[in-house]
Amino acid sequence: QVQLVESGGGFVQAGGSLRLSCAASGSIFNIATMGWYRQAPGKQRELVASISTRNGNTNYADSVKGRFTISRDNSKNTVYLQMNSLKPEDTAVYYCKFISSFGAPYWGQGTQVTVSS
Protein backbone atom coordinates (compact mmCIF):
# COMPACT_ATOMS: atom_id res chain seq x y z
CA GLN A 1 0.00 0.00 0.00
CA VAL A 2 1.42 3.37 -1.06
CA GLN A 3 1.40 6.07 1.59
CA LEU A 4 2.17 9.74 0.99
CA VAL A 5 3.85 11.35 4.00
CA GLU A 6 3.66 15.13 4.34
CA SER A 7 5.74 17.44 6.51
CA GLY A 8 6.57 21.12 6.94
CA GLY A 9 3.28 22.55 8.10
CA GLY A 10 2.95 24.73 11.15
CA PHE A 11 2.27 28.22 12.46
CA VAL A 12 3.70 31.30 10.81
CA GLN A 13 3.09 35.03 10.86
CA ALA A 14 1.78 36.85 7.82
CA GLY A 15 4.61 37.55 5.40
CA GLY A 16 6.55 34.50 6.52
CA SER A 17 7.47 31.33 4.66
CA LEU A 18 7.01 27.59 4.95
CA ARG A 19 8.22 24.68 2.85
CA LEU A 20 6.04 21.60 2.54
CA SER A 21 7.27 18.23 1.37
CA CYS A 22 5.48 15.03 0.44
CA ALA A 23 7.12 11.69 -0.28
CA ALA A 24 5.81 8.24 -1.07
CA SER A 25 6.73 5.77 1.68
CA GLY A 26 6.32 2.70 -0.52
CA SER A 27 7.01 1.66 -4.08
CA ILE A 28 5.18 3.73 -6.64
CA PHE A 29 5.38 3.78 -10.40
CA ASN A 30 4.13 5.70 -13.41
CA ILE A 31 3.38 8.95 -11.61
CA ALA A 32 2.39 11.54 -14.19
CA THR A 33 1.45 14.51 -12.00
CA MET A 34 2.27 15.70 -8.50
CA GLY A 35 0.31 18.43 -6.85
CA TRP A 36 -0.96 20.23 -3.78
CA TYR A 37 -4.51 20.94 -2.72
CA ARG A 38 -5.81 22.80 0.29
CA GLN A 39 -9.04 22.91 2.23
CA ALA A 40 -10.07 25.61 4.68
CA PRO A 41 -12.87 25.04 7.23
CA GLY A 42 -16.27 25.14 5.56
CA LYS A 43 -14.79 25.39 2.08
CA GLN A 44 -14.25 23.03 -0.84
CA ARG A 45 -10.87 21.47 -1.45
CA GLU A 46 -9.06 23.44 -4.14
CA LEU A 47 -6.02 22.93 -6.35
CA VAL A 48 -3.03 25.02 -5.30
CA ALA A 49 -0.32 23.86 -7.70
CA SER A 50 0.67 20.91 -9.85
CA ILE A 51 3.73 19.75 -11.73
CA SER A 52 4.34 17.23 -14.50
CA THR A 53 6.90 14.55 -13.63
CA ARG A 54 7.85 14.29 -17.30
CA ASN A 55 8.53 17.84 -18.45
CA GLY A 56 8.26 19.88 -15.25
CA ASN A 57 5.41 22.05 -16.50
CA THR A 58 3.68 23.76 -13.60
CA ASN A 59 0.24 25.14 -12.91
CA TYR A 60 -0.79 27.47 -10.09
CA ALA A 61 -3.99 28.82 -8.66
CA ASP A 62 -4.31 32.54 -9.32
CA SER A 63 -4.39 33.21 -5.58
CA VAL A 64 -0.87 31.83 -5.04
CA LYS A 65 0.87 32.58 -8.33
CA GLY A 66 4.05 34.56 -7.73
CA ARG A 67 4.20 33.56 -4.05
CA PHE A 68 4.30 29.75 -4.11
CA THR A 69 6.66 27.49 -6.03
CA ILE A 70 6.13 23.79 -6.66
CA SER A 71 9.07 21.52 -7.41
CA ARG A 72 9.79 17.81 -7.49
CA ASP A 73 12.53 15.21 -7.20
CA ASN A 74 11.43 12.29 -9.35
CA SER A 75 14.19 10.00 -8.05
CA LYS A 76 12.81 10.40 -4.52
CA ASN A 77 9.13 10.45 -5.49
CA THR A 78 8.92 13.72 -3.62
CA VAL A 79 7.10 16.97 -4.27
CA TYR A 80 7.70 20.29 -2.51
CA LEU A 81 5.76 23.48 -2.06
CA GLN A 82 7.71 26.60 -1.15
CA MET A 83 5.27 29.15 0.27
CA ASN A 84 6.45 32.75 0.59
CA SER A 85 4.66 35.96 1.56
CA LEU A 86 2.03 33.95 3.37
CA LYS A 87 -1.35 35.52 4.06
CA PRO A 88 -4.01 34.62 6.64
CA GLU A 89 -6.23 33.42 3.79
CA ASP A 90 -3.63 30.74 3.04
CA THR A 91 -4.62 29.03 6.30
CA ALA A 92 -5.84 25.54 5.46
CA VAL A 93 -5.02 21.87 5.56
CA TYR A 94 -2.70 21.15 2.65
CA TYR A 95 -2.90 17.79 0.91
CA CYS A 96 -0.43 16.38 -1.59
CA LYS A 97 -1.71 14.30 -4.47
CA PHE A 98 0.01 12.04 -6.98
CA ILE A 99 -1.79 10.93 -10.13
CA SER A 100 -0.59 7.92 -12.10
CA SER A 101 -0.37 7.81 -15.87
CA PHE A 102 -3.53 5.70 -15.71
CA GLY A 103 -5.40 8.33 -13.70
CA ALA A 104 -5.24 6.65 -10.28
CA PRO A 105 -5.02 9.19 -7.43
CA TYR A 106 -2.92 8.92 -4.27
CA TRP A 107 -3.57 11.34 -1.40
CA GLY A 108 -1.59 12.41 1.62
CA GLN A 109 -3.26 12.79 5.02
CA GLY A 110 -2.82 16.55 5.09
CA THR A 111 -0.69 19.00 7.02
CA GLN A 112 -2.04 22.09 8.79
CA VAL A 113 -0.79 25.52 7.77
CA THR A 114 -1.90 28.41 9.97
CA VAL A 115 -0.99 32.00 9.10
CA SER A 116 -1.63 34.65 11.75
CA SER A 117 -2.03 38.36 11.12
Side-chain angles (χ1 to χ4, degrees), residues 3-11 17-25 35-37 69 71 76-83 86 92-98 107-114:
Q3 182 178 182
L4 303 186
V5 181
E6 304 174 8
S7 63
F11 295 87
S17 298
L18 287 172
R19 182 177 174 85
L20 307 182
S21 64
C22 174
S25 63
W36 291 93
Y37 288 71
T69 302
S71 60
K76 297 180 179 179
N77 290 321
T78 300
V79 64
Y80 306 92
L81 186 68
Q82 178 66 46
M83 304 184 293
L86 282 161
V93 177
Y94 284 70
Y95 299 88
C96 62
K97 182 184 182 182
F98 291 4
W107 287 95
Q109 293 299 309
T111 184
Q112 177 70 46
V113 171
T114 302

Side-chain angles (χ1 to χ4, degrees), residues 53-74:
T53 62
R54 179 177 181 181
N55 56 30
N57 286 351
T58 58
N59 185 54
Y60 295 92
D62 289 343
S63 59
V64 307
K65 192 172 181 63
R67 299 187 297 119
F68 292 9
T69 302
I70 189 170
S71 60
R72 50 83 167 115
D73 185 337
N74 288 345

